[in-house]
Amino acid sequence: MAGFSEDWLNDGLDVPGAQSGLWVAGVDYIAGWRVAREAADRLNRALLGMGLELSAVRAAASTSEDGRGVVRLVGSPDVVDRLAELLEARTNDAGGAA
């Protein structure tokens, strides 16, 4: 996808504590990451569809300490504010929560 940095292969492999060796033996981190990656890809396609650049805001797949998939939104504060405005407008148009 457009806008990804050169280190896209490491995207989301930032399991908390990974650098300090806190990975738990027997936990399938890759399965959780794959699920998160699918959700992040879907959100990134939606962000692109809204006219946002992935270099400014994007979803990144990761895992929790116990191997569950996690999707993080990463972006500059001004672009995240714009995204929040777009989501709020959508919520107001729909008459409540999506």
Side-chain angles (χ1 to χ4, degrees), residues 59-79:
S62 186
T63 60
S64 64
E65 295 85 6
D66 62 358
R68 286 181 292 140
V70 175
V71 177
R72 292 183 169 87
L73 185 66
V74 180
S76 63
D78 58 322
V79 178

Side-chain angles (χ1 to χ4, degrees), residues 44-54 57 79 82 86:
N44 284 329
R45 286 190 299 274
L47 292 170
L48 286 170
M50 296 173 70
L52 299 172
E53 293 291 328
L54 295 183
V57 62
V79 178
R82 180 172 170 228
L86 292 169

Side-chain angles (χ1 to χ4, degrees):
M1 291 189 164
F4 277 85
S5 61
E6 291 294 320
D7 62 345
W8 69 272
L9 284 173
N10 296 322
D11 234 8
L13 294 179
D14 58 343
V15 177
Q19 288 78 19
S20 59
L22 295 179
W23 287 42
V24 178
V27 175
D28 187 359
Y29 293 101
I30 298 300
W33 179 83
R34 284 184 184 134
V35 171
R37 183 61 186 224
E38 288 177 17
D41 285 348
R42 183 175 181 201
L43 181 54
N44 284 329
R45 286 190 299 274
L47 292 170
L48 286 170
M50 296 173 70
L52 299 172
E53 293 291 328
L54 295 183
S55 60
V57 62
R58 66 182 171 85
S62 186
T63 60
S64 64
E65 295 85 6
D66 62 358
R68 286 181 292 140
V70 175
V71 177
R72 292 183 169 87
L73 185 66
V74 180
S76 63
D78 58 322
V79 178
V80 172
D81 278 342
R82 180 172 170 228
L83 175 59
E85 289 173 7
L86 292 169
L87 292 172
E88 288 168 349
R90 170 84 168 127
T91 300
N92 292 337
D93 290 344

